[in-house]
Amino acid sequence: MNRLVYILLTALFATACIRDVGLVNHFEERLVVDGRIEAGHNAVVMLSLNSEFSEEYSEEELRDMVVRWAKVTLCCEGEEEVLIGRSDENFPTQYIYRSTHIIGEVGKSYTLTVDYSSQRWSAQSHIPAPLQLTNIRVESVDGLHYSITAILPPSDTPC
């Protein structure tokens, strides 16, 4: 009798913990910002919308994920520029926002602001000074493979 009660209670607790997850369709569309600014170059920003996982998308659906009507602003030390959007087949989204006046400089800080669909996002970055290699070492591992070690000077800032 005790054994039967134990089995029934165990079964009751096990089924009480199982919940019906089913197919939860809780997908939130979000903006994906992919941007860069390098020393001596203009800023380049690609904007797209994320998508649900699917096995395949039509070319038209992929084009609709690219954001072409956002306001993208770049600020650097009091200077502000609204980036110009244009088609460019050399980039994955084939549409980019590019700065024309602000050029990347070592040591300067940059703030990127994106206004789209009544929302605003911003990010900050800076261009660090380049590091010089103090030593580079090449060692044979097994005759076919080599190990390359690059040694940089010590840095005061943690990674």
Side-chain angles (χ1 to χ4, degrees):
M1 180 75 174
N2 286 339
R3 186 173 185 183
L4 181 61
V5 172
Y6 176 72
I7 293 172
L8 288 174
L9 284 175
T10 304
L12 178 67
F13 286 131
T15 57
C17 293
I18 298 173
R19 56 184 183 133
D20 184 21
V21 289
L23 292 176
V24 178
N25 193 5
H26 182 69
F27 173 75
E28 285 187 51
E29 188 174 78
R30 297 185 185 254
L31 182 70
V32 178
V33 180
D34 182 3
R36 68 173 180 252
I37 186 163
E38 298 172 0
H41 298 280
N42 302 77
V44 175
V45 177
M46 294 179 286
L47 301 176
S48 60
L49 299 172
N50 66 336
S51 62
E52 290 186 83
F53 182 75
S54 177
E55 291 187 22
E56 60 184 63
Y57 286 100
S58 70
E59 191 173 327
E60 184 178 322
E61 289 171 318
L62 289 173
R63 270 193 231 115
D64 289 342
M65 290 179 201
V66 177
V67 175
R68 294 177 179 83
W69 303 107
K71 179 182 178 188
V72 181
T73 308
L74 182 65
C75 298
C76 176
E77 298 179 358
E79 188 178 355
E80 181 175 297
E81 177 182 1
V82 176
L83 278 58
I84 297 172
R86 67 177 192 176
S87 295
D88 191 327
E89 293 184 10
N90 295 318
F91 292 89
T93 60
Q94 297 188 355
Y95 191 87
I96 62 168
Y97 296 85
R98 183 184 294 266
S99 66
T100 56
H101 294 87
I102 297 179
I103 306 293
E105 291 183 44
V106 171
K108 289 194 174 181
S109 293
Y110 301 88
T111 301
L112 180 73
T113 305
V114 178
D115 293 298
Y116 177 71
S117 186
S118 302
Q119 294 185 0
R120 173 175 279 190
W121 296 269
S122 65
Q124 292 182 334
S125 185
H126 75 281
I127 300 176
L131 295 173
Q132 298 295 322
L133 288 174
T134 56
N135 193 1
I136 190 163
R137 192 173 46 224
V138 179
E139 298 173 5
S140 176
V141 175
D142 61 10
L144 291 173
H145 300 95
Y146 293 88
S147 170
I148 300 174
T149 305
I151 301 171
L152 301 171
S155 173
D156 294 336
T157 58
C159 295

